[in-house]
Amino acid sequence: MSRVDKEKSVNVQVLLRCRPFSDDELRSNAPQVVTCNDYQREVAVTQTIAGKQIDRVFTFDKVFGPTARQRDLYDQAIIPIVNEVLEGFNCTIFAYGQTGTGKTYTMEGECRRAKSGPEGQLPSDAGVIPRAVKQIFDTLERQNTEYSVKVTFLELYNEEITDLLAPEEISKVALEERQKKPLPLMEDGKGGVLVRGLEEEIVTNCSEIFSLLERGSAKRRTAETLLNKQSSRSHSLFSITIHIKEATPEGEELIKCGKLNLVDLAGSENICRSGAREGRAREAGEINKSLLTLGRVITALVEHLGHVPYRDSKLTRLLRDSLGGRTKTCIIATVSPSVHCLEETLSTLDYAHRAKSIKNRPEVNQKMMKSTLIKDLYGEIDRLKAEVYAAREKVGVYIPKDRYQMEENERKAMADQIEQMTASLETNQKQITDLQEKYDSELQHSADLSKKLEATEKCLDHTSNLLSTTKEDLKQAHYNLKEKEFIISEQKKAENALAHQACVLRSELEKSSRDNASLHSKIARGDKLSAANRSVVNSFQADLASKLDILSSTLTASIDQQNKHLKAVEVLCQSCVDSHDTATLEIKKKILASKSLYMSHMEAFQNIVLLHKANTNSTLEDVSSLSAASCCSLDQLLACVEGEALKIFTDIQSLLADHRSELAHFTKELRDSFCISLDRTKDMSSFILGLFEKYTEETSKLQNHSNHTHEAQVKSLEEFQKAYEEQSKSEEQRLLADITSLVSKHIVRQRELVDVRLNSLGDAARGNKTFLDEHTSAMEGVTKDAKRKWEMFAEQAENDCKVGSSFSSAKHCRMETIMQECACTVDSAAQQWKKSHAAVNDLCTKQVAEVEVLVRGAIENNEQHEAEIASSRALAEEQASNSSKEILQDIDSNF
Ligand code: ADP
Ligand code: MG
C-alpha cells in the first residue's frame, strides 16, 4: 500500500541574502564591499590585498540584495519548499551567517512589533516562519481535508537542548529546574532522533503562531540577558509537523506526514573562534561544538569522505536527515555589506558555496494507515501511563544517584557505541552495495568483453575473407590502374581536343567580332551612301529649279512671241482692212469716174441723140458693153482682192497652226523633260529603296548569320558538353567500380573546370549575340527611318512633278483654246469678207442687168418714145445719180 517516491539526488539549495546598511554602519560611513546581482545570481566581494583591488564573485541558487523584501525572499524561494512539505516531504531551512546579518530577521522577522497588521494579512516584516505557517494553513483550509499541525521550538546551546515552548505555568522554580535540566536526545528506533519530553504544541490557526514565537523568543531573550549574548551562540530549531488525512479509493484512510525544520543557527563567527581555540574550547564547555561539527559534516559530505561525523554534535544528529539524507535542504546565508564584516562575509560565502555541492535524496514520507497511527498512539499512551503510574506510586526501580549516573553514562556510552556501530554498519553496507554494484558492473563488463570477443572473432573471419577478396581486388585494382592510366591518357587527349575546340570556338568568336567590325564598317558605308544620296537629291533639286527657271523663261519667251504674232496678225488685219478701204475708195473713185463718164456720155448721148439719133443704138450698145467690161473689171478686181485676202487669211491660219504646233512641241518637250526627271527620280527612289531592301536583307542575313553562329556555337557547346558528359559518365562508371573517390574527385574537378569554361564561353557567346542583336535592331531602326523619310520625299517629289506637269498642260490647253478662238475669229472675218464680196458681186450683176435693162428699155423707148427722151433723160440722170449714190451708200454700209 505504501508508496515510496524515490527521487533523484538534488543539491542543497543555497540562497544568499545581504542586509542593508544598519544605522550604525551608515553613521560610521562604512564602505560597501558586497554587491549583489539578483538577476545573475552573483555576489561580488571587493577586497583590497596589498593595495590591489580584487573582486571575488560567488554564484548561488538565488541572491537577494539589500533591497529585497521579506516577501520577495519568501515568494521566490520558500513557497516551493513549503509546497513540498505539504506533499509529504521533510524539508529544512537553515539560516547561516555572522551575528547581526539578519538570520533571525529572515527566519522570524519582526512580527511582534507589527502584530496589529490587517486582518488575515501578515506584517511586511514577518519572516519565513509566520509566512510558512500561513501558507500551510491557507493551503490546508483550501484543500478542505482533515489535518493537524504541530510545532516544536527548541534551542541548542552548549550541546544542551532547551524547549522554548515549555509551559511556564508551574512555577518559577520549576522553570529554572527545567532550564537546568536539558532535554535528552533519543533514537526513535526508525533511524531518526527525537527530543524526549519536548513540548509539541498543536496549532489550529495562523494567528497562534505569533504568540508561540513570542513565547519562544521571550524565553530566548530572558536567556540572553541571563547568559550574556547567548543567542549569538545558540541555535534555534522551529519544526512544523503536518499530518493530512487522505482517503484511498478502497476507503482506507491514510495519513500523509510532512515536516518543516526552520533553523536559526548560531552566529558563524563562533565557528572560527571555536576552531581557533579548539583546545580551550573543550575546556570552556564546548562553546559551539554543534556549529563546528556542522562544518565538518559539510566538509565530509562535499569531499565524499567515508565517515560523516553526524554523531559528534547534537545539532548534526538532529538535522542528520537534512544533510545528505532524505530531506530537502535549503541554506540561507546572510551577510552584511559593510567592510567591517569583510572577513566573516568571505568565510560565510565560502561556507555556503561549499554547502551547495551537498547532495540529498529527498523521499516522500511513508503514508501511514490511520489504524496503525492510532495503534502507535495507543502504545505511546500506555507507555506514558506506565511512567505516570510509576512516578505517582513510586513503584519501579530505585537506585542510588551515583549508580544511576554511572549506569546512565554507561548507557550513554553504549548508545554512542551502538550509534557508531550502526554508522559503521551503514558505511559497511554502503560499501557492500558499492562493491555489489561494482561486481555487477564488472560482470556486465566481462559479458560485454566476451560479446566483443565474439564480435571480434567474427570480425577476424570477415576480415580474413575480406583480405582474400581484397587481394583479388588488388589485382583487379592493378589491372584497373593500368586501365585507368590508359583512360587518363585518353582523357588527356580529350582535354587536348577540348582545348582545340576552345581554340576553334575562340577563333569563331574572333571571326564573329570581325564580322561585327565589318558590320560596323557597312553601317558607316551606309551612312556615307545616305550622305551621297542626300547630295544627289540636293543637286537634283538644284537642277529641277534651274530647269523650272528655264521653263518659265521659255514660257515667257513663248508668250512674248505669241504676243508678237498676235500683233503681227493685227497689223496684217489692219493692212488688209486698209487695202480693202483703198480698194473701196478706188471703186468709189472708179464709180465716181464712171458716173462722171456716164454723165459725160449722157451729155454726149444727148448731144449724139440730139445730133446723132441714128448712132444712139450703137452708142447704147457701147455703153452696155462698157458697163459689162466695167463689171468684169470690177469682178476681176474683186476676185483679185479676194485672192489677196484669202492668201492673207491662209497665211494667218498657217502661222497660227505653226505656232500651235510649236507650242504643242514645246509642251511635249516640257512634258518629256518632266517625265524624264520623274523617271529619274523614280529610278533614284527605286534604287534607294532597293538599297534599303538590300540593307535590310543584309541586316537580316547578318542577324541570321549571328543567330546561326550563336546556335551553332550553342549547339556545338551542348554537343561537346553532352559528348563529354557521356564519355566522362561512361568512364566514370567504369572507374567508379574501382577507384571511386579518386576518379570522382578528379572528374568532379574536371567537370567543374569544364563547366566553368563552358559557362564562360556560353556567356561570352550569349553576350556577343545580344550585342549583335542590339546593333542589328538599331541599324534596322535607322534604315527603316531613312527608308520612310526617303519614301516620303520621293512621294512629295512625284507629286510636285505631277503638279508642275498638270499646271503646264493646263496652261497649254488654255493657250490652245485662245488660239482656237483666234482662228475662229479669223475664220468668221473671212466668211464675212466672202459674204460682202458676194453681195458686191450680186449688186454689180444686178446693176449691170438693170443697166442693160435700162439701156434696152431706153433704146426701145428711144425708138418708141422719142418725145419722152428729154424728160426721161433728166429722170435717167437723176436715177443714175441716185443709183450711184445708193451704190456708194451700199458700199459704205457694207464695209
Ligand atoms: P542575527 O540574527 O543574524 O544576529 P538579526 O536578525 O538580529 O541578526 O538582525 C540584526 C539587525 O539587523 C536587526 O535589527 C534587524 O532588524 C536588522 N536587519 C537584518 N536584516 C535586515 C534586512 N534584510 N532588512 C532590514 N533590516 C535587517
Ligand atoms: Mg539572531
Side-chain angles (χ1 to χ4, degrees):
M1 293 288 281
S2 63
R3 192 169 59 92
V4 180
D5 275 347
K6 284 221 169 184
E7 291 188 18
K8 286 178 277 172
S9 61
V10 292
N11 276 51
V12 167
Q13 201 191 356
V14 180
L15 323 177
L16 183 107
R17 187 181 201 186
C18 179
R19 72 159 163 78
F21 277 109
S22 69
D23 293 342
D24 279 344
E25 282 164 343
L26 282 174
R27 232 172 284 130
S28 66
N29 227 346
Q32 183 178 347
V33 288
V34 177
T35 38
C36 299
N37 188 335
D38 297 20
Y39 298 104
Q40 306 251 285
R41 295 177 290 167
E42 278 176 0
V43 182
V45 183
T46 314
Q47 251 181 305
T48 314
I49 299 169
K52 270 191 191 166
Q53 187 176 310
I54 297 165
D55 269 4
R56 282 188 68 189
V57 180
F58 297 85
T59 310
F60 294 101
D61 295 313
K62 282 195 177 72
V63 168
F64 298 93
T67 51
R69 295 166 301 162
Q70 296 280 60
R71 194 203 150 126
D72 299 332
L73 181 127
Y74 187 80
D75 287 354
Q76 289 178 35
I78 313 300
I79 284 178
I81 298 173
V82 175
N83 281 335
E84 280 178 335
V85 172
L86 288 163
E87 290 283 306
F89 284 97
N90 287 351
C91 297
T92 305
I93 300 170
F94 289 103
Y96 180 91
Q98 190 186 357
T99 303
T101 51
K103 296 187 294 295
T104 312
Y105 178 81
T106 301
M107 294 313 264
E108 292 174 23
E110 294 184 337
C111 46
R112 295 176 293 273
R113 265 171 272 158
K115 209 172 171 183
S116 54
E119 190 60 34
Q121 290 273 308
L122 291 174
S124 65
D125 270 336
V128 171
I129 294 172
R131 283 175 197 274
V133 173
K134 182 172 173 0
Q135 189 190 341
I136 287 165
F137 275 108
D138 283 354
T139 313
L140 290 174
E141 261 153 40
R142 230 185 3 254
Q143 283 173 356
N144 208 10
T145 46
E146 272 183 51
Y147 60 86
S148 80
V149 178
K150 287 187 285 185
V151 298
T152 62
F153 197 9
L154 63 82
E155 185 177 48
L156 185 71
Y157 175 74
N158 223 6
E159 290 305 286
E160 279 175 2
I161 295 168
T162 322
D163 190 352
L164 290 176
L165 296 181
E168 297 165 70
E169 76 273 52
I170 313 160
S171 68
K172 222 170 179 165
V173 185
L175 179 77
E176 272 172 22
E177 195 93 331
R178 255 187 185 265
Q179 271 175 349
K180 268 175 199 162
K181 264 193 186 165
L183 301 173
L185 203 58
M186 289 174 70
E187 304 290 324
D188 64 356
K190 296 172 199 162
V193 284
L194 57 86
V195 183
R196 182 94 177 268
L198 187 67
E199 203 68 42
E200 277 188 325
E201 199 79 31
I202 290 178
V203 186
T204 51
N205 65 57
C206 174
S207 56
E208 280 177 45
I209 205 79
F210 292 109
S211 55
L212 285 175
L213 275 178
E214 184 127 1
R215 216 158 90 197
S217 301
K219 240 182 191 174
R220 237 181 145 182
R221 262 206 311 280
T222 358
E224 199 173 306
T225 47
L226 287 171
L227 295 165
N228 188 17
K229 289 273 175 191
Q230 179 188 337
S231 85
S232 73
R233 294 186 209 160
S234 72
H235 314 280
S236 76
L237 169 59
F238 189 91
S239 299
I240 309 169
T241 314
I242 314 161
H243 287 99
I244 306 164
K245 194 167 89 180
E246 259 185 5
T248 60
E250 292 90 45
E252 196 103 40
E253 283 184 328
L254 292 177
I255 305 295
K256 188 162 76 176
C257 176
K259 193 173 182 184
L260 178 64
N261 298 312
L262 299 151
V263 188
D264 184 1
L265 291 169
S268 60
E269 67 277 5
N270 293 301
I271 208 174
C272 309
R273 257 168 244 165
S274 48
R277 299 176 245 145
E278 205 179 341
R280 266 185 290 156
R282 261 182 230 281
E283 293 160 39
E286 300 176 279
I287 292 177
N288 214 331
K289 191 177 181 179
S290 285
L291 206 55
L292 197 64
T293 311
L294 186 65
R296 284 197 196 125
V297 165
I298 286 172
T299 310
L301 285 169
V302 169
E303 289 168 12
H304 301 289
L305 301 176
H307 177 66
V308 184
Y310 292 113
R311 303 198 59 77
D312 288 0
S313 79
K314 289 224 165 102
L315 180 73
T316 48
R317 277 176 76 190
L318 272 170
L319 300 172
R320 175 176 190 164
D321 231 15
S322 308
L323 298 160
R326 292 167 303 166
T327 307
K328 284 199 168 183
T329 307
C330 168
I331 296 174
I332 304 174
T334 57
V335 292
S336 147
S338 162
V339 74
H340 303 308
C341 310
L342 179 61
E343 209 181 319
E344 276 306 325
T345 302
L346 280 172
S347 88
T348 304
L349 289 169
D350 274 331
Y351 190 94
H353 201 259
R354 236 156 27 104
K356 241 175 78 169
S357 45
I358 300 173
K359 282 198 195 309
N360 284 339
R361 294 179 310 281
E363 272 176 33
V364 171
N365 291 319
Q366 278 191 8
K367 286 172 188 167
M368 287 178 285
M369 272 188 285
K370 200 179 177 186
S371 48
T372 40
L373 189 73
I374 290 167
K375 221 184 263 172
D376 282 1
L377 287 173
Y378 272 123
E380 178 85 7
I381 289 166
D382 282 347
R383 193 173 55 76
L384 287 170
K385 265 187 187 165
E387 261 181 34
V388 168
Y389 180 76
R392 200 183 290 151
E393 300 295 317
K394 305 250 189 288
V395 288
V397 184
Y398 287 90
I399 47 169
K401 213 168 189 175
D402 294 352
R403 198 176 152 199
Y404 170 72
Q405 203 62 48
M406 217 173 72
E407 274 180 6
E408 193 70 9
N409 284 345
E410 251 176 47
R411 208 176 55 78
K412 231 187 206 171
M414 271 167 78
D416 282 358
Q417 225 176 329
I418 288 164
E419 270 177 24
Q420 271 172 10
M421 277 164 86
T422 47
S424 67
L425 195 71
E426 247 175 47
T427 50
N428 281 347
Q429 250 164 0
K430 218 186 227 170
Q431 272 175 356
I432 285 166
T433 50
D434 282 359
L435 280 173
Q436 186 73 36
E437 271 172 23
K438 264 189 193 167
Y439 175 71
D440 285 349
S441 68
E442 212 57 41
L443 268 183
Q444 188 70 35
H445 189 62
S446 71
D448 284 355
L449 278 178
S450 60
K451 261 189 206 163
K452 263 189 196 166
L453 191 70
E454 255 175 54
T456 313
E457 269 169 5
K458 263 188 208 166
C459 209
L460 191 70
D461 282 352
H462 183 66
T463 313
S464 54
N465 279 345
L466 264 180
L467 195 70
S468 57
T469 53
T470 311
K471 270 180 190 164
E472 273 172 33
D473 282 358
L474 193 70
K475 265 189 213 162
Q476 187 76 26
H478 273 300
Y479 173 71
N480 284 336
L481 201 70
K482 273 181 195 161
E483 214 174 43
K484 189 203 131 200
E485 270 165 9
F486 173 71
I487 284 160
I488 283 166
S489 69
E490 282 295 300
Q491 201 119 22
K492 267 182 190 162
K493 271 186 211 162
E495 250 179 275
N496 286 340
L498 208 78
H500 177 68
Q501 197 96 14
C503 280
V504 169
L505 276 176
R506 200 168 127 194
S507 68
E508 243 167 80
L509 267 177
E510 274 167 5
K511 216 172 93 190
S512 73
S513 73
R514 254 183 274 135
D515 280 355
N516 218 3
S518 74
L519 182 72
H520 275 296
S521 69
K522 264 187 193 169
I523 289 165
R525 259 188 282 149
D527 281 348
K528 254 192 227 166
L529 223 106
S530 66
N533 280 343
R534 215 174 293 139
S535 70
V536 165
V537 166
N538 284 340
S539 67
F540 169 70
Q541 214 168 358
D543 205 26
L544 193 71
S546 68
K547 273 201 178 151
L548 279 173
D549 279 351
I550 291 165
L551 180 70
S552 69
S553 63
T554 340
L555 266 177
T556 47
S558 83
I559 286 163
D560 281 356
Q561 224 173 348
Q562 207 146 4
N563 282 342
K564 267 184 205 164
H565 272 291
L566 281 173
K567 261 179 196 166
V569 167
E570 205 182 293
V571 167
L572 254 164
C573 281
Q574 198 67 45
S575 71
C576 164
V577 168
D578 282 357
S579 70
H580 185 78
D581 276 358
T582 47
T584 315
L585 276 178
E586 246 177 300
I587 291 168
K588 266 183 191 171
K589 267 181 202 168
K590 276 183 182 172
I591 287 169
L592 281 176
S594 77
K595 189 186 160 188
S596 62
L597 203 76
Y598 174 72
M599 286 301 249
S600 68
H601 272 293
M602 279 303 276
E603 270 172 37
F605 168 66
Q606 197 138 7
N607 289 338
I608 290 164
V609 162
L610 284 175
L611 295 170
H612 304 288
K613 220 180 172 182
N615 287 344
T616 311
N617 282 336
S618 63
T619 314
L620 275 172
E621 261 164 273
D622 278 351
V623 167
S624 76
S625 66
L626 205 84
S627 95
S630 89
C631 195
C632 242
S633 73
L634 189 71
D635 254 357
Q636 267 168 5
L637 181 82
L638 278 174
C640 172
V641 169
E642 193 189 340
E644 237 174 326
L646 272 174
K647 203 185 157 203
I648 285 160
F649 274 128
T650 45
D651 270 356
I652 288 169
Q653 211 82 303
S654 73
L655 213 88
L656 274 174
D658 274 357
H659 195 73
R660 198 182 289 163
S661 74
E662 209 179 332
L663 197 69
H665 182 70
F666 167 67
T667 317
K668 203 184 162 235
E669 248 177 22
L670 194 70
R671 198 175 290 149
D672 282 350
S673 86
F674 263 131
C675 281
I676 286 162
S677 77
L678 192 68
D679 281 349
R680 243 188 259 155
T681 315
K682 265 181 186 166
D683 276 355
M684 190 72 192
S685 123
S686 68
F687 169 71
I688 284 168
L689 284 178
L691 195 84
F692 281 135
E693 222 90 82
K694 248 189 234 166
Y695 260 152
T696 40
E697 209 177 86
E698 206 70 29
T699 315
S700 67
K701 257 190 220 165
L702 200 68
Q703 201 168 4
N704 279 352
H705 173 72
S706 99
N707 278 345
H708 190 71
T709 328
H710 178 72
E711 263 166 29
Q713 275 176 355
V714 166
K715 210 169 147 191
S716 77
L717 282 174
E718 268 170 10
E719 267 169 22
F720 169 64
Q721 194 168 12
K722 216 160 115 191
Y724 175 75
E725 248 164 23
E726 270 167 24
Q727 197 196 345
S728 68
K729 208 176 251 175
S730 65
E731 276 171 14
E732 190 187 8
Q733 273 169 1
R734 250 194 295 157
L735 291 171
L736 260 173
D738 326 314
I739 325 145
T740 325
S741 64
L742 196 73
V743 174
S744 67
K745 254 187 225 163
H746 177 69
I747 278 166
V748 161
R749 199 162 16 96
Q750 229 172 19
R751 191 187 286 159
E752 268 168 17
L753 255 155
V754 169
D755 276 353
V756 164
R757 215 127 148 227
L758 282 177
N759 280 342
S760 72
L761 278 174
D763 282 350
R766 259 193 293 282
N768 208 354
K769 180 157 194 283
T770 49
F771 175 76
L772 275 178
D773 281 352
E774 265 171 37
H775 272 265
T776 317
S777 63
M779 194 163 130
E780 248 178 25
V782 167
T783 317
K784 259 186 202 161
D785 222 36
K787 194 176 163 186
R788 195 162 41 79
K789 268 196 185 155
W790 176 254
E791 272 171 348
M792 259 162 66
F793 167 71
E795 218 170 10
Q796 211 176 349
E798 211 174 338
N799 278 351
D800 283 354
C801 280
K802 270 178 190 165
V803 164
S805 77
S806 64
F807 177 71
S808 75
S809 61
K811 269 268 140 77
H812 175 234
C813 276
R814 177 137 176 69
M815 215 83 126
E816 199 116 46
T817 49
I818 286 169
M819 292 283 215
Q820 219 109 42
E821 265 172 26
C822 191
C824 278
T825 326
V826 169
D827 275 347
S828 72
Q831 220 86 43
Q832 203 74 24
W833 168 252
K834 268 181 188 165
K835 260 191 210 168
S836 64
H837 184 234
V840 168
N841 258 3
D842 266 355
L843 263 170
C844 273
T845 48
K846 259 189 207 171
Q847 204 202 340
V848 169
E850 259 176 16
V851 166
E852 260 177 359
V853 167
L854 238 132
V855 169
R856 261 176 212 152
I859 291 166
E860 282 170 11
N861 279 347
N862 221 8
E863 281 178 8
Q864 289 174 351
H865 305 294
E866 245 178 20
E868 283 172 50
I869 286 169
S871 61
S872 277
R873 195 196 58 172
L875 192 75
E877 270 175 8
E878 228 179 77
Q879 268 179 343
S881 66
N882 277 353
S883 74
S884 71
K885 260 181 203 167
E886 235 175 282
I887 289 164
L888 283 174
Q889 269 170 4
D890 261 357
I891 289 164
D892 279 337
S893 70
N894 270 325
F895 290 94

